[in-house]
Amino acid sequence: MEHFTIVSNNLILRDLTYLRDKHTPQRDFRHALDRIAYSICISLSSNIIMKDVEVETPLEVTSGKKIASEIVLVPILRAGLSMGNAFLQLLPQAKMGHIGLKRNEETLEPIEYYYKTPQDLETAQVIILDPMLATGGSVSAAVTFLKRGGAKNIIIASIISAPEGVSRVLNDHPDVYIYTAAHDRGLNEKGYIVPGLGDAGDRVFGTL
Ligand code: PRP
Ligand code: URA
């Protein structure tokens, strides 16, 4: 299994165009992000360990599949919340943790302001949700916190990533798996992904 996967299909490409467009209204932005999150969740599900089960149809017993471990979704506040709906729809049994991180706009380093996760992370499949993987500081810090809490199997779901961020996260944590819908050119002098979509949290929550 590759540690870095770009998920793509024609609907993702259409929806990325809505996200990038600065004229897209907040409601359409949220819907496009939600639809991409569904595609990413479906794609990364091939990384989730399954087990065989028996299922009784009205006619006979046959074989089926079940997710083998507990799923813990961890959106990074705020913008990560925008991916929560799609992931919870597709993984309704999931527990949810939350990590609050805010980038210091000068140093670009993340500041932690909230941390609460379920207890049993050791055996869980943890999935971090954050639409923007820019310098990678936020995701890398989140992985460190979750590993301290015992997490061993961690997947990162992002919408747009920068090469700098992907390299940093895989350098700091070579064992994690990153899924993204777009791998953009790089970062500007303010640490924004270019061409990117601007500030994801502000566009999702209308705080521009
Ligand atoms: C954004 C984004 C990521 C982070 C990415 O959050 O949602 O969490 O920046 O940047 P990095 O890869 O350089 O760490 P931000 O700090 O703006 O907070 P917000 O979600 O509350 O808007
Ligand atoms: N956070 C965002 O919301 N957008 C970026 O481009 C970088 C960090």
Side-chain angles (χ1 to χ4, degrees), residues 40-58:
I40 290 177
C41 185
I42 290 166
S43 181
L44 68 72
S45 73
S46 55
N47 216 317
I48 294 176
I49 297 170
M50 306 295 289
K51 67 179 176 194
D52 295 325
V53 290
E54 283 193 339
V55 58
E56 206 177 335
T57 79

Side-chain angles (χ1 to χ4, degrees), residues 67-82:
I67 294 177
S69 60
E70 192 134 72
I71 303 283
V72 177
L73 302 175
V74 184
I76 299 182
L77 308 179
R78 291 175 300 169
L81 291 173
S82 61

